[in-house]
Amino acid sequence: MSKSVVYVVANENFQDEEFFESKKILESKGYSIKLTSSIIGEAHGKLGSTVDTELLFSEVSTDDFDAIVFVGGVGSIKLWDDWRAQGLAKLFLDNGKIVAGIGSGVVIMANAGILANINVTCLKENESPVRHNNANIVEENVVVSGNIITANGPQSAKEFGNVLLNALETV
């Protein structure tokens, strides 16, 4: 397998811990990480970090990655209704890949329609849009439902990274 994961981040105000904690865990096991967003260039974390997005949504191929991760943060609200981001969630799931989201990134997955009738977790403030898309919200830090992994926010970033790694290693 390629041992490669693509992360979806907002260009402004992505949640730093949600990205960096899980990225560090995956990289420690040899995974290559790429970043995608609606534009290529410098993306800014809520806590001041900067990263470079390398791929446009339209340039992401499921053939190149084992999983896709939707990172939250207040900036991700701009991506909640982005049909390209939603399309990637559906495409990865349809191709048997792991689709993971943490914090507000879970709403992108919910709006893509891939969380209907399964157990998920999310931030308290995101429960309404996630429930609106027929997901069954459970009170846990990280929830695995088949190839879908959800986490409730930055406080669960390390656990999310470990669960994601475990899922990738057992596929």
Side-chain angles (χ1 to χ4, degrees):
M1 238 187 192
S2 65
K3 290 189 84 157
S4 191
V5 176
V6 63
Y7 277 73
V8 174
V9 294
N11 296 336
E12 294 293 330
N13 293 315
F14 67 85
Q15 189 67 50
D16 305 63
E17 307 97 322
E18 294 176 358
F19 171 64
F20 287 108
E21 288 293 330
S22 59
K23 175 182 181 273
K24 182 170 44 174
I25 290 165
L26 295 179
E27 285 181 334
S28 75
K29 296 297 182 178
Y31 282 83
S32 162
I33 306 299
K34 295 282 186 189
L35 288 169
T36 184
S37 194
S38 55
I39 61 170
I40 290 178
E42 199 170 77
H44 301 273
K46 178 180 168 188
L47 302 179
S49 66
T50 58
V51 295
D52 287 321
T53 56
E54 306 151 279
L55 299 167
L56 292 171
F57 292 146
S58 61
E59 297 173 317
V60 175
S61 169
T62 58
D63 293 340
D64 298 334
F65 300 101
D66 303 307
I68 189 167
V69 179
F70 293 89
V71 175
V74 294
S76 73
I77 293 171
K78 290 182 178 177
L79 299 177
W80 285 4
D81 294 320
D82 189 306
W83 62 272
R84 299 163 301 179
Q86 292 174 11
L88 286 174
K90 291 182 212 168
L91 190 63
F92 270 73
L93 191 62
D94 289 348
N95 282 275
K97 306 288 180 147
I98 293 169
V99 180
I102 183 167
S104 296
V106 174
V107 179
I108 300 166
M109 297 164 62
N111 287 347
I114 66 168
L115 303 184
N117 305 311
I118 65 168
N119 288 344
V120 302
T121 191
C122 65
L123 288 167
K124 284 274 184 223
E125 57 265 31
N126 297 151
E127 285 186 3
S128 180
V130 173
R131 278 192 210 287
H132 179 74
N133 286 284
N134 300 313
N136 178 31
I137 297 172
V138 294
E139 298 288 325
E140 293 181 33
N141 292 337
V142 181
V143 174
V144 178
S145 295
N147 278 5
I148 295 175
I149 302 170
T150 54
N152 64 1
Q155 72 282 1
S156 303
K158 194 171 278 187
E159 182 180 349
F160 174 70
N162 286 317
V163 169
L164 178 58
L165 175 64
N166 185 56
L168 286 162
E169 298 285 306
T170 56
V171 169

